[in-house]
Amino acid sequence: WSSDVCSYDLLLGAIGVNAFLDYALIFGHFGAPRLGIVGSGVATLCAYMFECAAMLTIIYRTPELRRYRLFRRFFRPVWDKFFEIFRLGVPMGLSWVFEILFFNTGALVMGYFGAAALAAHQVALNVISILFMTPMGIGIAASVRIGLAAGAGDKAAVRRAAGTALTLGGALMGDRKS
């Protein structure tokens, strides 16, 4: 068992499980009931469960990970750490809940208008996601590079990383008509 069997294989496996179950449960193939949009939700839940089980298997079967004994105190929580993480995580968690609720509600509403409206909605969301995630990824990468350089006391590297991020972000998001 190799530690190389990790996130990429797991992600591809989960995508495969989700695609197969989507095809089966949305359209009623392979003897499965035709559930439509509910089938998509069931398929996604099953894919997440598969991914969780596969990740636990990888953790337990990989010697490099097993030595950390990640679940040795699973049923004995450390309450002070729990409340610290909880206090820090609640604002972010609530923002994610509302964001996911907003987008999923939109998808459910589009599902009531039919498959074509739902497909058009998904295409629009994918385009918007690419337009949003690209500059966000540049920003996250820049913050890591700048943080590392600032921590090392390298002012030239801080300026270089910031300038590169601003130039790249500006080039990607700039108006090309002018």
Side-chain angles (χ1 to χ4, degrees), residues 135 138-139 142 159-174 176:
I138 293 169
R159 282 191 296 277
R160 190 172 48 250
T164 301
L166 288 171
T167 302
L168 186 57
L172 286 172
M173 301 311 294
R176 302 196 183 194

Side-chain angles (χ1 to χ4, degrees), residues 59-60 62-70 72:
I59 289 170
Y60 280 116
T62 305
E64 294 88 5
L65 298 174
R66 195 178 329 130
R67 71 179 174 178
Y68 292 109
R69 299 174 51 204
L70 295 174
R72 73 172 182 249

Side-chain angles (χ1 to χ4, degrees), residues 31-165:
R34 183 180 181 150
L35 299 176
I37 197 165
V38 173
S40 175
V42 171
T44 301
L45 172 67
C46 291
Y48 285 154
M49 291 171 61
F50 166 79
E51 196 168 3
C52 179
M55 185 57 75
L56 289 174
T57 302
I58 289 171
I59 289 170
Y60 280 116
R61 302 231 15 222
T62 305
E64 294 88 5
L65 298 174
R66 195 178 329 130
R67 71 179 174 178
Y68 292 109
R69 299 174 51 204
L70 295 174
F71 299 107
R72 73 172 182 249
R73 295 177 52 159
F74 187 73
F75 293 106
R76 292 185 305 159
V78 180
W79 291 109
D80 58 330
K81 294 292 183 188
F82 172 80
F83 287 118
E84 180 183 355
I85 292 170
F86 184 79
R87 181 181 57 79
L88 293 171
V90 165
M92 185 184 304
L94 286 175
S95 69
W96 276 56
V97 164
F98 287 114
E99 179 181 346
I100 291 167
L101 186 68
F102 176 73
F103 283 109
N104 286 342
T105 301
L108 287 173
V109 169
M110 289 299 123
Y112 284 112
F113 290 118
L118 182 60
H121 176 73
Q122 189 61 46
V123 168
L125 280 181
N126 285 344
V127 170
I128 291 169
S129 293
I130 290 170
L131 293 175
F132 172 75
M133 292 295 181
T134 303
M136 187 175 84
I138 293 169
I140 291 170
S143 68
V144 170
R145 297 287 308 259
I146 292 168
L148 289 172
D154 188 352
K155 290 181 182 179
V158 169
R159 282 191 296 277
R160 190 172 48 250
T164 301

